[in-house]
Amino acid sequence: SARGTANFADRVTNEVRELFEQRGGSLYDPQVTQAEHALQSAALAEREGAGDAVIVASLLHDVGHLLLDEHCGQTDFLAQDHDHETVGSEWLQRRFEPSLAEAVRLHVAAKRYLCATEPGYWEALSPASKRSLELQGGVFSKEEAKLWAQQPHAEEAINIRRWDDMAKVAGVSTPPLEHFLCKVRALVSNAQA
């Protein structure tokens, strides 16, 4: 029913808001909080003219870190890989269209792909990003990269990864969370329709 869909959209929007309120203030890296990183990613996607699903995927690409309460303040944050992209993707899949969840699931592997295919990409990664790359399986071989790029939503994942890489700047002004929550709500409604 329309009312059921509206209630579900409200519930998901509130879940996202609460996750950011409760855990978004934790550090993503020494420069930015999880919330700042997410908002910068979404703002970059919006500025480049991405569709709403990709903007929301950019906002929520690290929702798995929030759900797992993983952050840079923990001494073991980079000691092991808790597969935040899978945790996040599974959470998103129950709330949004599958393509959005899939782009989020692929955003970690997109780093492995870009390291294999783009000269200078690995060199530009932060030390923390290089460390997590090793935990995530390292650089793809040429054959792995070729196969990976053929998957549906690989292109969106690459874009999300690029915005992810750029969204680590202290003090950058972005639209507030509420600006993006309108898109979150609309996308939940569409997925349920």
Side-chain angles (χ1 to χ4, degrees):
S1 75
R3 183 180 295 158
T5 299
N7 288 344
F8 184 67
D10 286 339
R11 200 165 73 237
V12 172
T13 304
N14 287 331
E15 277 183 308
V16 172
R17 185 185 291 111
E18 283 170 16
L19 269 172
F20 278 103
E21 283 173 359
Q22 290 165 9
R23 297 184 174 168
S26 63
L27 287 177
Y28 171 81
D29 72 8
Q31 275 70 51
V32 292
T33 65
Q34 303 258 19
E36 289 167 335
H37 175 64
L39 290 169
Q40 286 181 31
S41 296
L44 287 162
E46 189 172 56
R47 199 172 310 141
E48 289 196 28
D52 284 354
V54 176
I55 293 168
V56 169
S58 296
L59 177 74
L60 299 177
H61 74 277
D62 280 343
V63 72
H65 283 319
L66 297 176
L67 292 164
L68 292 162
D69 201 16
E70 292 183 304
H71 53 82
C72 160
Q74 296 162 320
T75 47
D76 66 344
F77 183 48
L78 286 171
Q80 53 184 324
D81 182 16
H82 293 290
D83 217 13
H84 78 279
E85 69 279 16
T86 305
V87 171
S89 174
E90 286 170 359
W91 187 87
L92 292 166
Q93 213 158 19
R94 296 191 296 271
R95 292 158 176 83
F96 297 93
E97 60 197 49
S99 61
L100 188 153
E102 185 61 5
V104 168
R105 187 182 72 79
L106 294 173
H107 89 275
V108 167
K111 176 166 62 170
R112 300 176 66 196
Y113 171 81
L114 287 165
C115 285
T117 59
E118 196 169 282
Y121 183 84
W122 184 87
E123 290 75 5
L125 291 176
S126 68
S129 207
K130 286 177 182 165
R131 275 203 304 283
S132 63
L133 173 70
E134 293 314 311
L135 289 172
Q136 293 153 351
V139 178
F140 277 151
S141 69
K142 290 278 179 253
E143 188 56 33
E144 286 172 323
K146 189 175 160 198
L147 287 170
W148 184 87
Q150 292 167 0
Q151 295 179 90
H153 314 297
E155 194 176 328
E156 291 99 319
I158 290 166
N159 287 331
I160 291 166
R161 177 87 241 164
R162 291 188 191 286
W163 298 318
D164 180 0
D165 291 334
M166 292 188 281
K168 300 172 184 178
V169 184
V172 168
S173 172
T174 62
L177 180 62
E178 292 301 322
H179 169 80
F180 297 109
L181 288 180
C182 306
K183 297 178 191 308
V184 167
R185 192 181 190 292
L187 286 169
V188 174
S189 299
N190 290 345
Q192 297 302 306

